[in-house]
Amino acid sequence: MTSNYITNPDYLYRIPKPLYLIALFNSTGITLYSRTVKTKSIDVDKIPTQVISGIITATSLVMKEGFGEGAYLKVVESTRHTLLFSVRGELTAMILAEQPSYFVKKSLDNFLKFIPDDLVKKLEESTTNVDKETSDVLDRYLVKAYPYIVFS
């Protein structure tokens, strides 16, 4: 069984199942930022964010073409894992988890809300991974949104 390291036992009810990865993608599917969650007995560094990014981009294009502008992925479920998505403008935040709770989804939405408009615009226009300074800023918003998780 896999479990997460949490910062405070009072948060245990929020994440009954493990979380693995949080990432930000732009509209072209480039992974701009990602953080793995510290877990036991699984090597989260082996999760291929670029492959996930390609799948998300392809599926999103099919949805937009078939269902029109504004049609976004919200959830992709497999038998063991779930990808949750939240969208703000041209940015997509994603979390990979096992059976995510309401609090996990709400925290993902909050992560995007915490990012200031000027930084969102900068990220939307970016074509590469963010620099160290921007990554540090995003880390602060991520910890604010997920105060109950220890990130690797």
Side-chain angles (χ1 to χ4, degrees), residues 39-95:
T39 59
K40 293 181 180 178
S41 72
I42 188 168
D43 188 2
V44 291
D45 292 327
K46 291 185 179 180
I47 297 171
T49 57
Q50 295 304 332
V51 173
I52 291 172
S53 173
I55 293 167
I56 293 165
T57 303
T59 307
S60 293
L61 284 172
V62 169
M63 288 187 69
K64 284 181 184 179
E65 291 295 319
F67 303 117
E69 198 64 37
Y72 299 104
L73 282 176
K74 292 177 89 177
V75 177
V76 175
E77 287 186 295
S78 73
T79 55
R80 294 181 59 198
H81 298 95
T82 301
L83 294 171
L84 287 179
F85 302 94
S86 186
V87 177
R88 179 175 172 196
E90 297 295 319
L91 280 185
T92 300
M94 178 213 72
I95 187 163

Side-chain angles (χ1 to χ4, degrees), residues 68 79 95 106 114 126 129 152:
T79 55
I95 187 163
K106 187 69 177 158
F114 292 154
S126 181
N129 287 345
S152 301

